[in-house]
Amino acid sequence: MKYLIALDQGTTSSRAMIFDENRKIIDISQKEFRQIFPKPGWVEHDPKDILNTQLGVLDEVIGRALGGGKAGAGGGCDESRAGTGVGSACGELGAESGVGSAFGESGTGTGVGGACDGIRAEDIAAIGITNQRETTIVWDKRTGEPVYNAIVWQCRRTADYCEELKAIPGMVEKIREKTGLLIDSYFSATKIKWILENVPGLEPDNLLFGTVDTWLLWNMTCGKVHVTDYTNASRTMLFNIKDLCWDKELLEIFGIPESMLPEVRSSAEVYGTYKVCIGGDEERKVFGIYGKDAGCGSGGGNERTPGQSFGKGLIAQGGAVGEGLGSQGGVAGEGLGCRGGVAGECLGCRDGVAGEGLGCRDGVAGEGLGCRDGVAGEGLGCLAGDGYGGSLEADEGSGKAPNENFSIFEIPISGMAGDQQCALFGQRCFAPGQAKNSYGTGCFLLMNMGEECRISQNGLITTIGIGLKDRINYAIEGSVFIGSAVIEWLRDGLKIIESASASSDIAASLEDNGGVYFVPAFTGLGAPYWDMYARGAIMGITRGTTDAHIVRAAVESMAFQTMELLDAMIEDSGIMVSDLNVDGGACRDSFLMQFQADVSEINIIRPKNIETTALGAALLAGLGVGLWKSPEEIDSFRREEVDRVFYPQTDRKSEVAEWKACVGRTLTRKSQG
């Protein structure tokens, strides 16, 4: 049996999932990260949070898979006190936690279970990456340090500049014809421009840009691979989707050096490998992940057993729970790779001396990642036993394990696509006219348009649906900026519900919405309106309105917004769509799915496995290493995967009319003029 790992890096959390070759979920790990809101309408992430959480959950699932239930994730120096874990990866996933932290003391965090008797390393066929799109990261290629926080796809800071662009005669048409996109701060180009113009002291020749997929891949391959795929490139507003290249005219318009941009490749091929250091004895534990700042580290403390201490990040050394990657000496460091009780601001500092390079030692900045004594090595942080309290020697930083009790295993990274395109692939929408909607933080509706690139005339965008070596499939897409995020706001902002899952029962408990409509334009309205200045509104409130009516109106807003996208898409394509495939966390809400069927007058198909974004990444990775030969072979095993079909039951035309009237009241003069 072969296994595939999907990395699903989303807007609010990072996840890692293991699938077997029969598409069954074997294990899953997830970790949320900070949301940063510096000003109204601005949204940022710390790129290190993205990296740390994504590599952290990857480490956890690999540890469980290869460990056979005996590895400890943060178990300190006393293995007997490691946590009980989350259950067998081949059985039901449990909910137990409480792993040991430093030196076997009880701590918090998620424990590890096992994968039956342990999956063999050689049976992990590949890793696929799927990611939040448009989110923009710029970093220094010499140090790997981001020059600014990641500017998230939701961020509206460049809205005024976009209005200036629109005012230039012919600019809207030029950008739409080249990229398939509308001018909007949603996309990456204006975010890159903002960073270049607002962050002081930048040296463009030393900068790299990437969407989140590129940032992860660059780090996972030790800074060797600077690549994106067709789907992510098509979201930047810099990529010519007809000529399949970075558009030099657009680069000049935005003032962006082409040297910053990644190479664009297909969505299913081997880009590089991720190195894993594992033990060779009977317990066969994962002792370290060979990736950026992870290192195959020694255990430290009073034990000479490598890697018993994992920490909150990857490979906390010396028995410590480190918040960063590779903290040493029993101290939790805020920087990556700090040692000696001092939190370092840079990556890889030691003895309290901040080095400018990644993986530097004794204050000497090395040019490569994972260098030792100022010598750049290819092995990324594989630290020698000399002075580090451990027994695993580095072979000149080469990444080779000299001890026969350890081995290095390389996992191909062979699939990559933006999250919505991955969901389209995971839903097996391979034929023109097939469509899917993902209910996540936002809602994203995509329809496969085949190999013909057609530009939308109804406020939608044309994008690359999937880009393989032998074919490019285009898609029409509509985006709802605020989907299930509105439910999170009810929970965290208004605090009128205790959990997101409670919204379904509350909505279903009412006969109707009581005339209350909620337009959640927190960061503007997407397709088909594209009003960056619109803001949220709750309308129809009376003395009889209760919290429950507001909750129901919020749930209904996801269906109404999706309905408007679907109507525009059908008009654009001329194709009557009879079925809509759905996925994402909110599609578990049967009330929402039935309401969607009613307002859209269409069948809604919910699969048994709603994790189609991660599944798409896994399928692409398998395709990239030849586990399957073609999409058609993948499509052949779709049968028996449907959970439920929701058919239209109730006439909602009057409610649809009321919704559209409410949206009209939120539109601003700028958008209408």
Side-chain angles (χ1 to χ4, degrees), residues 497-565:
I497 57 175
E498 293 184 357
S499 65
S501 59
S503 62
S504 178
D505 291 338
I506 294 171
S509 70
L510 301 176
E511 291 184 5
D512 54 46
N513 62 16
V516 178
Y517 292 85
F518 192 159
V519 183
F522 298 161
T523 56
L525 287 172
Y529 301 103
W530 291 104
D531 185 347
M532 294 180 283
Y533 298 94
R535 290 296 177 262
I538 303 174
M539 303 181 192
I541 298 174
T542 68
R543 285 290 298 272
T545 299
T546 66
D547 288 356
H549 289 108
I550 294 175
V551 172
R552 174 156 174 158
V555 173
E556 290 181 353
S557 72
M558 287 186 274
F560 282 129
Q561 292 177 96
T562 298
M563 170 208 68
E564 295 205 83
L565 294 182

Side-chain angles (χ1 to χ4, degrees), residues 609-662:
N609 174 16
I610 66 171
E611 302 291 352
T612 55
T613 300
L615 176 61
L619 295 176
L620 285 169
L623 193 64
V625 293
L627 193 58
W628 300 291
K629 302 302 181 185
S630 67
E632 288 71 27
E633 183 179 349
I634 293 172
D635 194 36
S636 67
F637 51 63
R638 189 180 183 186
R639 61 186 182 277
E640 306 301 326
E641 294 185 357
V642 173
D643 171 52
R644 180 177 172 184
V645 179
F646 297 85
Y647 301 97
Q649 295 180 353
T650 305
D651 188 337
R652 304 280 186 182
K653 290 185 177 63
S654 62
E655 293 159 273
V656 169
E658 286 293 330
W659 161 262
K660 290 184 176 181
C662 290

